[in-house]
Amino acid sequence: MRAADTDREAVADRLRVALNEGRLDLHEYDERLQRAYRSRTYAELDALVADLPSVAPPADSGLVTSPAAAPATAQRPAVRSATARWLVQVWQPYLQVVPIVVAIWAISSLFARDLLYFWPGWVAGPWGAVLLVRTVTGLGAGEPQRWAVERDRRRERKRARRARRREIRAAGSAGPDGWRRPEQPGPEQGRGPGESGALG
């Protein structure tokens, strides 16, 4: 059966849970996430989560029936949220700039005591038309979902970098073999035999 966007989102959420639990590393999560959003059928989605524990109530049969079919209704708000955030990102500059331009025109008309030529229309009109076309084509092509995936990737990369830094700091303070020990210089770090005991 053909999968829907809500099904792909549900599988993506399961993969995120598996990443947070340490069942997947960042590279494997990124690869499976890309495959999830390219999947067309439930069978392709099933293969991505076959080796992960089920988050649904346990079933006796070995068949995984559409992992996203059960929580599909619960995932609709997530899809709507991604679409809403994408729309805000697309339209926010327009909604910030156009009122400023109109306010400048209104103040100018007030000082001139006459309605001046409405030049903000040349800013709002073409720009709004371009954004409208982008919105329609983006919604039709699934752009909000791709944007949400890319945003999640950036967040996971930042988390992974922060986790690696914490591990490096923890390992450096513990001083395991193979790590730099900055506060314990020894003969192996460049001191000669005659320098080790020279203390004043």
Side-chain angles (χ1 to χ4, degrees), residues 81-155:
S81 175
T83 303
R85 290 178 183 174
W86 179 78
L87 288 172
V88 168
Q89 189 204 31
V90 170
W91 284 91
Q92 188 174 19
Y94 180 87
L95 296 176
Q96 289 173 341
V97 171
V98 170
I100 294 173
V101 172
V102 172
I104 292 172
W105 168 82
I107 292 171
S108 301
S109 297
L110 185 64
F111 280 118
R113 296 184 180 181
D114 189 16
L115 285 178
L116 301 177
Y117 175 73
F118 190 70
W119 54 267
W122 290 102
V123 177
W127 191 6
V130 170
L131 289 179
L132 186 61
V133 171
R134 183 186 173 190
T135 300
V136 172
T137 56
L139 290 174
E143 186 66 26
Q145 286 76 25
R146 285 195 294 271
W147 173 80
V149 169
E150 188 58 35
R151 183 196 59 193
D152 289 340
R153 280 185 201 153
R154 287 194 296 267
R155 287 180 179 173

Side-chain angles (χ1 to χ4, degrees), residues 13-92:
D13 285 341
R14 280 186 71 184
L15 294 175
R16 287 186 203 105
V17 170
L19 176 70
N20 293 335
E21 292 174 347
R23 302 182 194 278
L24 298 175
D25 60 28
L26 187 61
H27 176 73
E28 192 173 14
Y29 164 75
D30 188 54
E31 180 185 352
R32 290 194 189 196
L33 195 62
Q34 291 182 33
R35 286 169 56 194
Y37 281 102
R38 287 197 303 263
S39 298
R40 296 183 179 179
T41 64
Y42 285 127
E44 293 172 330
L45 292 175
D46 287 340
L48 297 175
V49 294
D51 58 343
L52 299 176
S54 176
V55 294
D60 295 332
S61 63
L63 177 63
V64 181
T65 59
S66 64
T73 55
Q75 293 306 320
R76 280 199 192 99
V79 176
R80 289 175 186 163
S81 175
T83 303
R85 290 178 183 174
W86 179 78
L87 288 172
V88 168
Q89 189 204 31
V90 170
W91 284 91
Q92 188 174 19

Side-chain angles (χ1 to χ4, degrees), residues 19 25-28 156-172 179:
L19 176 70
D25 60 28
L26 187 61
H27 176 73
E28 192 173 14
E156 295 303 334
R157 287 190 196 110
K158 288 180 183 175
R159 281 184 204 156
R161 281 197 293 268
R162 281 196 288 265
R164 284 193 201 108
R165 288 193 200 107
R166 284 195 295 268
E167 289 172 4
I168 289 171
R169 284 195 208 105
W179 289 99

